[in-house]
Amino acid sequence: MRRLFVAGNWKMNTTAAVGSALASALAVEVSKSQPAVDVAVCPPSPYLSTIKAVLGTSPIYLGAQNAYFAAPGAFTGEVGLDMLVDVGCQCVILGHSERRAIFGETDELINKKVAATLQKELGVILCIGELLADRQGNKTEAVLETQLTGGLAGIDAAAMKHIVLAYEPVWAIGTGVTATPQQAQDTHKFIRNWLEKRYNAEVAAATRIQYGGSVTPETAAELLSQPDVDGALVGGASLKADKFIPIIQAAAAVKKSA
Ligand code: PEP
């Protein structure tokens, strides 16, 4: 049975004070209820240390939203993996569609980041997802296949236990349009079948695939109940404790057969 994993991507939002208040509310709730799901928050990099301190001994993981693959050196403006380890991060979001679209990240670059992140023994949340035009043109599977093949090039089956995939249809991110539970399930099933072909049945069965794209407390339960949906990567709704906590609770309440 895969343990559900709910992660909050704060993107370029919050201040130290706002992020601390949010993290504190989440830490209280998650420590109190010890939900049977994994929970992570991914604040902007300047606040990682602050939020780490606020999370304290709570079981909430700390994630970064990006990292550069190279060893420390002359890379002005970048954040290195050693730094993320140093401030207590446990995982890194890589390949988010905003990094791809706004900052021109290619599958090749993302792959270098994935490999370097694993070398530092950090977990990876690797985002993949198609544009609206891809879905309308029946190209979703081809796009995902390209992103998976490129992003996971050279990553072996043993390393896959440190990787979570996040299926995030770009047309659903920040738009208020959520994929239907059936669309999410069908696409997650496609991704799981791809994992079986590329790796083996064990990797396919064990790899967690989060859904991301306008998840809200209202839509979470049905999406997370789909057999191949193993959690959520949440943007906007992760910025408010009264929206993110019900999503965590919805995940904790999901019952799936093995
Ligand atoms: C995201 O940024 O990963 C995301 C899913 O955002 P939202 O939930 O706001 O659509």
Side-chain angles (χ1 to χ4, degrees):
M1 269 283 277
R2 295 177 295 272
R3 191 173 155 88
L4 267 60
F5 179 21
V6 178
N9 172 14
W10 295 2
K11 311 195 191 199
M12 200 173 76
N13 292 300
T14 70
T15 59
V18 167
S20 296
L22 173 57
S24 172
L26 298 175
V28 167
E29 172 62 28
V30 173
S31 304
K32 189 173 67 190
S33 58
Q34 294 283 338
V37 294
D38 290 333
V39 178
V41 291
C42 305
S45 54
Y47 305 138
L48 285 167
S49 295
T50 306
I51 301 304
K52 179 76 182 173
V54 172
L55 293 175
T57 56
S58 90
I60 300 179
Y61 295 107
L62 184 71
Q65 299 173 18
N66 184 30
Y68 197 56
F69 64 84
F75 300 100
T76 302
E78 290 297 323
V79 174
L81 288 155
D82 291 316
M83 297 163 192
L84 298 184
V85 172
D86 197 28
V87 298
C89 278
Q90 287 117 337
C91 57
V92 187
I93 297 173
L94 294 173
H96 191 280
S97 65
E98 287 149 18
R99 302 284 331 159
R100 293 174 189 263
I102 303 170
F103 301 101
E105 292 202 6
T106 61
D107 289 320
E108 197 184 348
L109 174 63
I110 293 161
N111 177 244
K112 286 185 181 163
K113 294 182 175 198
V114 170
T117 302
L118 294 174
Q119 273 201 346
K120 297 293 172 188
E121 298 185 356
L122 291 170
V124 170
I125 299 176
L126 174 61
C127 303
I128 55 172
E130 82 286 0
L131 303 172
L132 182 59
D134 299 325
R135 182 158 279 269
Q136 288 172 338
N138 281 328
K139 294 193 185 118
T140 298
E141 295 184 355
V143 168
L144 297 179
E145 189 147 14
T146 300
Q147 292 175 342
L148 286 164
T149 304
L152 295 174
I155 305 301
D156 65 16
M160 285 304 293
K161 66 169 83 69
H162 304 294
I163 296 185
V164 171
L165 298 174
Y167 168 58
E168 299 207 302
V170 180
W171 46 271
I173 296 181
T175 59
V177 179
T178 313
T180 65
Q182 194 60 53
Q183 282 173 323
Q185 168 56 26
D186 290 348
T187 313
H188 283 225
K189 184 73 189 156
F190 167 78
I191 295 167
R192 205 171 297 290
N193 288 343
W194 183 89
L195 287 169
E196 181 161 358
K197 271 188 276 157
R198 164 73 169 83
Y199 294 101
N200 54 48
E202 290 72 43
V203 168
T207 302
R208 294 185 291 183
I209 308 172
Q210 296 174 318
Y211 167 80
S214 298
V215 175
T216 62
E218 292 73 34
T219 56
E222 208 182 339
L223 283 162
L224 293 168
S225 302
Q226 302 306 308
D228 288 292
V229 176
D230 308 313
L233 181 55
V234 185
S238 73
L239 290 169
K240 297 263 179 260
D242 64 355
K243 295 215 182 311
F244 197 48
I245 288 170
I247 295 173
I248 296 169
Q249 289 168 337
V254 165
K255 299 267 176 290
K256 295 193 199 194
S257 46

